[in-house]
Amino acid sequence: MKAITLWQPWASLLASGAKKYETRTWATTYRGQLAIHAAKKFPKEEIELCWEEPFKTSLSKSGLKVEDLPRGAIIAIANLTDCLKVNEEFIKNLAGTTELEFGDYEIGKYAWVLTDVRPIKPIAVSGKQGLWNWNEADIE
């Protein structure tokens, strides 16, 4: 199965369903199951972001505490169903939603559409950049 590594809190926001799109500078033609991997690294700036709105409320509503966000693990399985180029109309459709805060919706970037997100018990795995192949044989 393909996987993608994301920093926290974005990985957990996806796993909890609070975030519906993953924004990237690059498009993908891949469609299908995608493992969501939470990076081991949790930079200070991202930790501080967790205490700001709407991150704080979204994490809290999902029962997540900043200090307990999993790292270095696969935490969810989703279906990558589409990859949309961000344009003014796309941004307009997100107006008034927390989704705009949870991604980099600069015109020209790409929004990966993730559906049927299923959180799983964290499985310790080393992450990689880009899309990478993962299977349970990779468990550390």
Side-chain angles (χ1 to χ4, degrees), residues 8-9 12 42 44 46-52 55-56 59-60 63-71:
Q8 291 289 20
S12 286
F42 198 3
K44 181 180 177 183
E46 277 66 31
I47 294 170
E48 291 171 357
L49 187 64
C50 293
W51 297 106
E52 297 176 15
F55 295 86
K56 181 180 177 180
L59 292 169
S60 178
L64 300 168
K65 296 180 182 178
V66 176
E67 59 272 14
D68 296 332
L69 294 179
R71 299 194 321 251

Side-chain angles (χ1 to χ4, degrees), residues 86-122:
V86 175
N87 58 30
E88 289 178 13
E89 184 68 21
F90 187 89
I91 295 168
K92 182 180 173 185
N93 288 333
L94 295 179
T97 70
T98 56
E99 191 70 42
L100 276 177
E101 302 293 324
F102 296 156
D104 183 355
Y105 291 96
E106 184 178 321
I107 292 175
K109 292 198 174 186
Y110 297 89
W112 295 14
V113 182
L114 300 170
T115 62
D116 303 317
V117 180
R118 300 169 305 283
I120 62 171
K121 182 178 175 183

